[in-house]
Amino acid sequence: MSTLRTYLQLLPKAELHCHFVSTMRPETLLELCQAHQVQLRTLDLDSLFDYTGLADFLDVFNAAHLALSTPQEVARVAYEGVEDAVATANLRYREYFVNPDNFVAGAFGRPGPGMDYPTVIDAMIKGLGAAERDFGVGFGIIIGINRSLPAEAAAELVRTVVEHPRAQVLGIGQDDLTPEKSEDPLRFAEAYRLAREAGLRCTAHVGETMAASPQDVVTAALELQLDRVDHGYRVVDDPQSLAAAKASGLSFTCTPYSTVMLSGWELTADHRIARMVRAGLPVTLATDDAVFFKTDLAREYVEALPAMGISAPEATAIARQGFAAAWCPEQQRQRLLADFDGAALALGTALL
Ligand SMILES: [Zn+2]
């Protein structure tokens, strides 16, 4: 391995855009599916995540949700996900999206009672808390609005979040697509208003694919008063939108391999993430849906960044931005940044 690759792998990392279920170990997915008689297209891990179409992907995605049936399993998956990312990518801090609506009775055809909001969140906190004690990796949870559900369900979800306060729940986001297969972030404005009123931070998946417009990114950021933007790639396709995004100072959580999987974009110097970096937007790097897209945080740094022509200093700034844009308490954020600066300096001196 080249010294640059070693440097990128060893840099301390914060990940701000990963969906909880997607941090599941592939072997654990198989084991839990078998334990709960959840059908998979194949039991061969080499081909399970190769999709010939959307149906193949949804098959595995749904199965992974159904496989998580108990709080103990949620806690186990939480712990293992940290353990793996520490070993492979030097993960130091992570914020997780979770869609509580995906765990209730009937979701994905879930048999039995399902798990309610506090059950899922407390199980995550238990597993992630154990991992924090063992590996020193801090964490936060972001409640994801599932856009396939009506706006009123999103508002109700935020009311539930506010009724069950947890220090580890830092904010809300929105993902998936509407029944019309659009992003339409403003549809959920009421949920965002309630969240801000309760002191929660706000982010949203927006401007991810060609189906969205550059203006959509800026409109969502302003109207929903976002604190961060997930994806947002389309913003570089319009100078005015790009200027507005820069002026906002908002950080973007970018996920290279998910753009390859979902949009077929090639990882070259023309990739929108590379253009965002060159334009001076605060970019952070993440996996999005690691297990389903056969990626991990190390690969996003070691493979994707060099493929997009990102230099070592730019990669260092991207890694640092992951800590700078974190929503953890300020004292913790400052300590993470100081630790990062020390480690990056030592690694750079030794390897670059
Ligand atoms: Zn995502």
Side-chain angles (χ1 to χ4, degrees):
M1 196 187 274
S2 74
T3 53
L4 175 62
R5 290 168 65 95
T6 306
Y7 174 79
L8 293 174
Q9 183 169 15
L10 294 180
L11 265 183
K13 295 176 190 70
E15 180 167 34
L16 304 179
H17 183 160
C18 66
H19 299 270
F20 173 67
V21 172
S22 309
T23 65
M24 197 182 311
R25 206 175 262 174
E27 294 79 7
T28 301
L29 172 62
L30 277 194
E31 183 192 323
L32 293 181
C33 280
Q34 285 175 314
H36 295 294
Q37 284 91 47
V38 175
Q39 292 295 320
L40 287 169
R41 183 168 36 85
T42 170
L43 298 180
D44 174 28
L45 278 181
D46 285 331
S47 55
L48 181 60
F49 304 105
D50 291 334
Y51 315 117
T52 54
L54 187 64
D56 285 353
F57 167 72
L58 290 177
D59 181 58
V60 182
F61 185 79
N62 295 357
H65 280 83
L66 292 176
L68 282 172
S69 299
T70 68
Q72 292 74 25
E73 288 158 359
V74 170
R76 173 189 166 182
V77 165
Y79 185 93
E80 290 178 353
V82 178
E83 186 177 32
D84 291 355
V86 168
T88 58
N90 196 12
L91 180 73
R92 305 316 302 156
Y93 177 83
R94 199 186 238 171
E95 290 175 10
Y96 297 81
F97 290 111
V98 63
N99 299 93
D101 290 322
N102 291 0
F103 294 93
V104 299
F108 301 111
R110 184 182 289 275
M115 289 182 276
D116 64 8
Y117 175 78
T119 303
V120 171
I121 297 303
D122 289 343
M124 281 180 68
I125 291 172
K126 189 172 182 199
L128 295 172
E132 183 171 24
R133 284 190 293 281
D134 288 353
F135 307 112
V137 176
F139 70 94
I141 296 171
I142 304 171
I143 305 304
I145 290 167
N146 184 333
R147 291 193 280 220
S148 68
L149 300 175
E152 180 44 37
E156 194 50 43
L157 173 61
V158 174
R159 286 188 202 102
T160 302
V161 173
V162 176
E163 278 166 24
H164 301 86
R166 301 287 187 274
Q168 295 87 351
V169 173
L170 305 175
I172 67 161
Q174 53 174 291
D175 49 52
D176 208 323
L177 293 174
T178 68
E180 301 82 41
K181 302 296 169 206
S182 65
E183 291 179 346
D184 197 12
L186 302 189
R187 180 177 300 192
F188 308 97
E190 173 65 4
Y192 277 72
R193 191 187 64 75
L194 292 170
R196 285 196 310 276
E197 210 171 81
L200 291 164
R201 309 278 191 113
C202 297
T203 185
H205 284 46
V206 62
E208 179 177 3
T209 67
M210 296 310 283
S213 79
Q215 292 78 13
D216 288 343
V217 179
V218 177
T219 305
L222 294 177
E223 298 275 326
L224 300 177
Q225 297 179 35
L226 300 183
D227 299 286
R228 244 174 19 213
V229 176
D230 301 312
H231 303 299
Y233 314 123
R234 288 284 279 138
V235 79
V236 291
D237 295 328
D238 169 55
Q240 269 189 327
S241 300
L242 179 59
K246 270 191 86 168
S248 75
L250 291 175
S251 292
F252 290 74
T253 64
C254 299
T255 61
Y257 279 105
S258 87
T259 72
V260 176
M261 297 293 288
L262 296 177
S263 296
W265 294 349
E266 282 183 59
L267 297 177
T268 67
D270 282 334
H271 191 285
R272 287 182 178 78
I273 295 173
R275 288 161 58 193
M276 290 165 83
V277 171
R278 288 201 301 270
L281 287 179
V283 163
T284 76
L285 208 65
T287 56
D288 206 355
D289 287 303
V291 72
F292 302 117
F293 295 161
K294 293 207 278 194
T295 186
D296 58 55
L297 194 53
R299 185 171 180 232
E300 303 288 349
Y301 275 83
V302 174
E303 307 284 344
L305 289 186
M308 292 189 292
I310 305 285
S311 69
E314 287 167 337
T316 308
I318 288 169
R320 190 180 197 280
Q321 194 59 30
F323 297 100
W327 288 348
C328 56
E330 183 57 17
Q331 204 181 358
Q332 182 183 3
R333 199 179 69 92
Q334 291 300 338
R335 184 172 47 76
L336 286 164
L337 279 168
D339 288 350
F340 174 85
D341 288 339
L345 186 65
L347 279 172
T349 305
L351 291 169
L352 297 180

